[in-house]
Amino acid sequence: MFDLFRSRAKAVRYLLGGLLMVVALSMVVTLIPGWGSMPVGEEQVVAEIGDEALTEREVQLQLQAAMRNKAFPSELAYIYVPQMIDQMITERVLAYQSERLGFQVTEADVAQTIRSMIPQLYQDGKFVGRQAYADFLAQQNLTIPQFEANVRKQMLLTKLRNLAGEGAVVTPEEIDKEYRRRNEKVKLEYVAISPDKLRSQATVTPEEVKAHFEKNRPAYQIPEKRSFEMLVIDEAKIGERIATAEADLRRAYEANKEQYRTPERVNVRHILLKTTEKPKEEVPKIQARAAELLKQIRGGADFAELARKNSEDPGSAAKGGELSWVARGQTVKAFEDTAFTLKPNQISDVISTEYGFHILQVLQKEEARLKPFEEVKEQLAKDQKRQQVFNLMQNLADQAQAELSRNPQQAASIAQRLNVPLVRVEKAGRGDPVPEIGVSPEFEEAISGLQKGRFTPPIQVQGNKLVIAVLADVFPIRPAELAEVEKQVREQLASQKVAQLVEQRAREAMEKAQAAGGDLKKVAQAMGLELKTTQEFGPDGAADGIGPATSLMEAFTKEVGGLFGPVPMDDNRFVCRVAAKTAADTSKLAEQREAILTEIKRRKARDRDELFTDSLRTRLIQDGKVKIHEDVIRRLASAYRG
């Protein structure tokens, strides 16, 4: 198996590596007691579950693995640390309880699970070998006993969870209620109070700006700024230096003629009526339908239009059935045999493949040929130039790095010697657009970690450029002066005033609607608002002009004519009236019953699992079997702040 992981295609190695990293590393760190940690006496203990200890080292390993996989932004690690620790404790609690209850997993169970998880370990049904298995796990810093113990514990944990979730009973009344909830529809009349129309009324005086700034002065800071010089290696400008002679292109063409050979191919379109996953008794009906479509086509019907309306091939139906160019060996045999015997514009009979029934039309046909030099010359020139540009850019970047490492203060003379632009940037902060780059998170990350006088590695940014930046100066965060943030303060005060006006106006509209017996039209005319009506929508849909139904659930509890609101949606407020209600069509309950039953069962099982897990943790804590050291968790989280 060692050869399998070292010599097979990269895609296979990445797949297996990813599987084991996800399934093995994260679970081992979480579940195997003491893995990767020092003796308990030599480091802080985060929690104790039975006789096992969850250590600070184990949490850090798990967190680092998550950060490497970019599971969350690194700057928010301090928020995720308590959540991660809580999950680690919960999983260990479940594993501990499963062992106390005597759950068992046999060696055969473990072997079967591993085989289903990683079928590549079994080539042609035979295990590739224990040594290869061990060698690969060693690349993940795991041993066979660690990995298999982890799999065994995960299986025990799953058994306990399944036990907790069993017995969820769903009554017919619950199914009926859920069906009605899903399928009931409402239509609303509404008026919208938007901040856009009130912005002109929110005036802010200089005195208000000054008073607000003085009161909230600590909140206004000038963030850290950095000045730097950048060497910019631009693909477009480098390309201008390179000219490819026709003689060179001809030599490249002659040396690589085989890649310019095109096989025999046809440009074909088709209509597919699937027979897969359909009852056998329906096949004759599907074939008859295909025959009817063929009759329409031969009678002059538009092939593309029939394909769009009838074809069940998701990849081509929207394009009028067109598959574009197809060479031999790219389709199943029956399809290929037919496509390559048809003449251009000829329509096939109904043909059968393992996918269903097809009707084909060949649009164009090309014999196998060698593309002449003149036909590929332009693309060949582009490819040659692209490769030369790439090599030159890489050489320039290497030279720039080498010279900067000897004398980073000479960025200007190095740029001149290499004939690349030097860009000076003064006092740029995070999120500020940078000349030649714009806003680049990768560049910001690199420059923010530099010390004064040091330089970044080559960083690829938008526009196919490589940049190397030398940090000239750092200007620390400092309190702002009013002149520097006056515009920001004014905008904040204006936004606050607009929000207050929106709330006042919305309450006024609601009060007037109530006083008018729900007549929103009258209110709209009196207040200069526009009365609008939504389309009919259900609880899982959305109301045009307002937003998702999840914010309008009160509509489904009101009778026709009932008012509700103001409903907040972003910066707007809506006063609504139920204009119409449509009850669920119970004649369709039977066809949705199974799906609704499954969903309710899943929801109940999830709720039971959460309740079981919470109560188990609480009881074990009360019994002294689980001890959580909150002070260590707080310190760990604080260590990642900033």
Side-chain angles (χ1 to χ4, degrees), residues 66-167:
M67 291 171 70
R68 280 196 303 273
N69 292 327
K70 297 183 179 180
F72 51 79
S74 57
E75 62 270 18
L76 298 180
Y78 70 96
I79 295 175
Y80 285 86
V81 167
Q83 299 175 17
M84 181 177 290
I85 292 173
D86 185 72
Q87 179 65 22
M88 293 171 76
I89 292 171
T90 295
E91 290 186 348
R92 290 199 178 197
V93 163
L94 290 171
Y96 169 73
Q97 183 67 9
S98 66
E99 291 175 350
R100 292 181 73 197
L101 293 175
F103 284 103
Q104 293 183 349
V105 175
T106 67
E107 293 296 329
D109 293 335
V110 173
Q112 183 59 39
T113 298
I114 293 174
R115 183 166 187 161
S116 63
M117 282 167 43
I118 318 172
Q120 292 86 345
L121 294 179
Y122 298 83
Q123 299 297 304
D124 299 323
K126 296 180 181 179
F127 182 49
V128 294
R130 188 171 180 82
Q131 185 57 50
Y133 178 29
D135 288 339
F136 178 72
L137 290 177
Q139 294 177 34
Q140 315 296 333
N141 294 320
L142 298 172
T143 66
I144 290 175
Q146 285 174 337
F147 177 63
E148 293 186 353
N150 173 58
V151 173
R152 182 177 290 105
K153 285 204 171 189
Q154 186 66 20
M155 293 174 70
L156 286 169
L157 187 153
T158 301
K159 284 190 173 188
L160 185 62
R161 278 199 149 125
N162 288 342
L163 179 66
E166 287 177 359

Side-chain angles (χ1 to χ4, degrees), residues 231-505:
L231 284 78
V232 181
I233 305 171
D234 187 340
E235 180 186 23
K237 293 179 180 177
I238 297 297
E240 293 171 359
R241 306 182 192 179
I242 297 172
T244 305
E246 182 166 321
D248 294 331
L249 295 178
R250 285 192 179 276
R251 278 193 293 272
Y253 173 76
E254 292 296 332
N256 299 280
K257 265 187 176 180
E258 289 306 310
Q259 75 182 58
Y260 300 113
R261 293 190 184 277
T262 58
E264 180 188 9
R265 61 180 191 161
V266 291
N267 186 358
V268 63
R269 60 183 177 182
H270 79 139
I271 295 172
L272 167 65
L273 301 183
K274 287 184 177 180
T275 55
T276 54
E277 301 177 0
K278 293 183 180 177
K280 289 183 178 180
E281 57 269 21
E282 288 189 19
V283 171
K285 295 179 183 178
I286 298 171
Q287 186 174 16
R289 184 175 161 224
E292 174 59 29
L293 290 173
L294 177 61
K295 182 178 178 181
Q296 292 179 43
I297 293 168
R298 288 184 170 160
D302 187 311
F303 191 107
E305 188 61 27
L306 287 178
R308 276 188 283 269
K309 291 180 178 179
N310 297 279
S311 182
E312 296 175 320
D313 176 8
S316 69
K319 298 182 290 184
E322 190 165 343
L323 294 171
S324 192
W325 290 99
V326 174
R328 289 189 182 274
Q330 290 184 313
T331 64
V332 294
K333 190 174 186 308
F335 191 102
E336 177 183 296
D337 290 346
T338 303
F340 282 89
T341 55
L342 292 174
K343 297 176 181 179
N345 298 317
Q346 187 177 357
I347 305 292
S348 74
D349 293 328
V350 175
I351 67 164
S352 175
T353 72
E354 48 264 57
Y355 298 106
F357 296 104
H358 307 252
I359 303 169
L360 280 63
Q361 182 183 28
V362 168
L363 303 174
Q364 294 170 278
K365 195 168 187 177
E366 283 187 0
E367 299 299 328
R369 69 187 183 98
L370 172 65
K371 292 181 180 179
F373 172 75
E374 291 301 329
E375 186 177 334
V376 300
K377 176 182 174 181
E378 184 178 348
Q379 186 59 46
L380 187 58
K382 288 180 181 178
D383 293 342
Q384 290 270 306
K385 188 172 184 176
R386 186 181 299 114
Q387 186 59 48
Q388 291 178 54
V389 168
F390 174 82
N391 292 338
L392 183 53
M393 289 178 71
Q394 191 61 56
N395 289 336
L396 288 170
D398 292 342
Q399 290 180 58
Q401 279 190 288
E403 295 195 34
L404 285 170
S405 65
R406 291 191 292 271
N407 196 343
Q409 305 305 319
Q410 298 298 315
S413 60
I414 293 170
Q416 186 176 17
R417 190 158 51 252
L418 297 177
N419 193 22
V420 298
L422 182 78
V423 178
R424 290 183 173 86
V425 180
E426 298 293 338
K427 295 185 177 180
R430 276 191 176 271
D432 292 344
V434 175
E436 299 282 342
I437 292 179
V439 177
S440 169
E442 294 81 10
F443 179 80
E444 285 187 355
E445 189 69 27
I447 199 74
S448 66
L450 283 185
Q451 294 179 348
K452 187 176 177 179
R454 303 300 296 169
F455 60 92
T456 68
I459 303 161
Q460 184 173 353
V461 295
Q462 62 184 13
N464 289 338
K465 299 174 184 177
L466 292 176
V467 295
I468 302 174
V470 182
L471 185 63
D473 211 346
V474 178
F475 302 88
I477 187 171
R478 63 175 176 82
E481 297 299 326
L482 176 57
E484 296 174 297
V485 293
E486 183 175 355
K487 182 180 177 182
Q488 177 186 349
V489 175
R490 184 177 299 277
E491 289 175 351
Q492 287 178 341
L493 282 173
S495 294
Q496 291 174 10
K497 287 192 173 187
V498 169
Q500 291 170 359
L501 287 171
V502 168
E503 291 291 349
Q504 292 170 7
R505 189 95 164 142

Side-chain angles (χ1 to χ4, degrees), residues 168-171 175 182 592-603:
V169 176
V170 180
T171 66
I175 295 174
R182 291 185 183 189
Q592 296 186 32
R593 181 180 298 278
E594 194 61 35
I596 293 173
L597 173 64
T598 301
E599 173 58 29
I600 296 176
K601 274 190 172 182
R602 186 182 297 117
R603 188 166 62 233

Side-chain angles (χ1 to χ4, degrees), residues 15-31:
L15 172 63
L16 297 179
L19 276 170
L20 287 176
M21 282 298 289
V22 172
V23 176
L25 177 60
S26 63
M27 293 188 341
V28 167
V29 171
T30 305
L31 292 176

